[in-house]
Each structure stands twice: as C-alpha cells, then as structure tokens.
Amino acid sequence: MFAALAYVSITGHKPYQDGHVQQVVGNIAVAAASLMLLRLLDGHASMRLSMRVRWLVGAVAVSMMVSTLASPRVFIAWDRLELYYALALLGLSIYLLHRDDDAPGAAPYWLAIALVHAAVLVEVVFWLLQLQGNGANASPRMPYHANIRHFGYLGYLAAAAAIAVALRWRRLGLTGLVLGTAALYGIVQLGSRGALLGWLIFLAAGCGLAPKDQRGRLLAFGAASTLLAFGMSWVLGELGLIGGGSLIDRAQHGEVAAASGRLPLWTDVLKAIALHPWWGYGPDGHSFLNCCGSYGPYIARTSQAHNVLLQLLEEFGLIGTLLIGMLVNHLARSQARPRGWFALARADDETRWLVAMLIGLLAFGLVDGPFYYPVPLLIFAVLSGLLMASARRTVRFVP
C-alpha cells in the first residue's frame, strides 16, 4: 500500500502545484485512516500520553491555527495545514502498526522506496533521451516535476533506502547496490547538489553510528554506487546520448557549492520574517511572499525558502517554531530513554539506518526543499513513524 501511495502521488504531479497538494492530502489521509482502522480492529491502537505531551500538542495546534487564521491567504494556508495534519496522522498510524515486538520492520518500506524510484526513473531517462534527440520538439517539462532537480528529493531517499536494504538483508546486497546506483545516477544526471550532500551526510552518519564490522560494508557499498553513478553519467555524456545539466557539467561550469545562490534568497526571507516574527505568514507562507508585495527579488523567483528552519519561521513564526521544536525534542528524548539515541543506533541495524537517513534528509533540507513538497514529506512521515516504533522495540533490549 505504501509503494502504491508513493507512486500515485508522484505520477499525479502536475507541472505546477495547482490541485496536487489536495490530491496528496487525500491519498495520505485515506492511508492513515486505513492503518488506524487496522490497529483498532486488532485492539492495539491505545496510547498513553503524558500531561506534558498533551500540553505541547495542544499548544502547537493552537499556534498553528493562529498562524493560519492570521495568514494573508487563509484558504491556501488551510490547504497546507491539512497536509501537515494528514502527515501527522500517517506517521502516528505507522508507529502504531510497527511498535510491537512482533511487528514487521522497516526494510520492506526501504525496498518500496527504491523500487518506486526505479520505476519513475525509467520514464525520466526516456524523457532525457527524447530531449537530447528532438531538442525544441521534446516535452519542455520533466515528467511529474516542474523543476528537474525536484527528482533529487526522491533520489536521495531511494539511494539511502537501497543501501540500507543491502546492509540489512545480505541476500539482497546486489539488488540494493543496483537500486542505489540507479538512484544516485538520477541525482548525478539531473544535477541535484543538495541530494548529493544528503547522501554524503547519510554515509558519514552511518559510519559514525555503525560498529566496525558494518562500517566497511557501508563504505564499500557507498563508494561503489557513487563511482558507478558518476561513471554512467560521464560515459553517456561522452557518447552524446544524455548530456547537459548533470553534476559533472555543473562542476565544470563552477557550480559546486550546494548553497550557491541561496544566500541572497535567505537574506530576503529573513527580512520578510522580521516583519511578522511572532506568528509568521501561515502555512505555505512563502507563496504569499512570492506573489504579493515587494519582499525581495529572490523571493519572487522561488516557490519555497530552500531551508527547513526558515520555512518554519516563515509559516509559524518564532512562537510556533519554538513549540514545534520543544514537542519534537520531548518526543525524541522520551522515546529513547534511558539509553539515548546513540546507544540504540549502535545496537540495532534498523534504528541505525533510519537515524542516518533522517540526518541526511535534514542536511538536505537545510539547502533545499524536501520538507516543502508533498511526496518527500510523505516518505518523511513514514520514516519518522518507523523510527519511533523501532526505538520503542529496541530500548527494551539494550543493556
């Protein structure tokens, strides 16, 4: 069901976002409701929440509602708020489904992410070949995305998930390597520097968390898939089959830093935040800044802030961002008690790779928009639910 949900959400993407958010919200809400029903029928949907969690959840909900109602574009903000609510329900449903000791693990989800990406990548490659052969007569827009580098959001998640599959299931080592290489090839060929940054941070985090006997395998898989991906892109470019816009081409033109061009945008965003510091502009506040008023030339050219922290400050202001941070921090700390996340990640393969994947995604989110677009947010919600469930199962067995 998760693979079908991800595929339908991706293939339903229009060149522009009109109507797409509402469609994905519906997909996610149906999936979350279905999972909740399964747990209710099974009698395992009960939860005990501390008074502090209840107060924090209530405070976050109230602050989000205030930011939404105070938004200059309430109806657009409300659509975005529905997306966040559906994602929260989905993450909670995944947690309830997988928190018990006999529950299935995360590896099937990782495999689904990589396989869905591979299926979509095939059409993207055919589009690139058509573009190379027909020039101006080819479709001007990449399938499913208005910006070709948006494909890097799914590419990073697929690459990390594929390598996690190879490390978790030894018998699927070759499958994981092939799927990881395919995902990285998409990143290289379409020129997503942020996705490459996320991938390198994933490898670094995995090396820091993995025991010595797994560190070597991680580096071997990571190095092999990365070199193969760059090699494929270079060979296809040299043969004239697929070229233009790749990371290799961008490096040759001096476009190396993942944050190049971001600093002027972030400066404009900070100036806009300073005008409404407490409650922000409501969910999807950047779209208001983009279309209405003179908030800066760089804001006018972008659909999102290219930084998850600035995005939160734009949407919910200092008050909402602080409350969200307090809630996330409390849930994360309480779930890993008494051993802590480092001990859990060192002790359990599944927890380790989930932590590394989310660390890489967070690094990616500091220079781009994986926390803005619905499809990477969908996968983020699933991975977060799986991580919290894995921590609950693991903490009982860590000495």
Side-chain angles (χ1 to χ4, degrees), residues 79-167:
D79 284 344
R80 188 73 183 180
L81 188 64
E82 288 180 339
L83 172 64
Y84 292 152
Y85 180 60
L87 290 165
L89 281 181
L90 180 63
L92 178 60
S93 302
I94 292 292
Y95 168 72
L96 292 174
L97 192 66
H98 293 274
R99 64 179 178 173
D100 296 333
D101 293 339
D102 58 348
Y109 290 89
W110 297 339
L111 188 59
I113 293 170
L115 288 172
V116 168
H117 174 272
V120 178
L121 179 63
V122 171
E123 183 167 353
V124 171
V125 169
F126 277 109
W127 172 78
L128 289 170
L129 291 170
Q130 180 190 22
L131 195 67
Q132 191 79 7
N134 296 338
N137 296 322
S139 171
R141 293 194 177 275
M142 175 185 179
Y144 320 133
H145 299 274
N147 184 322
I148 62 173
R149 293 179 186 96
H150 292 181
F151 198 64
Y153 303 147
L154 183 58
Y156 160 71
L157 290 164
I163 297 304
V165 166
L167 294 167

Side-chain angles (χ1 to χ4, degrees), residues 2-3 23 46 49 71-72 82 94 102 123 129 149 171 184 189 194 202 212 246 261 263 270 330 334 337 387:
F2 167 64
Q23 173 200 324
S46 62
L49 298 177
S71 171
E82 288 180 339
I94 292 292
D102 58 348
E123 183 167 353
L129 291 170
R149 293 179 186 96
R171 66 181 182 275
L184 286 167
Q189 191 61 59
F202 164 76
K212 290 183 179 180
S246 72
L263 293 180
L270 286 171
H330 179 74
S334 60
R337 286 175 183 160
L387 176 59

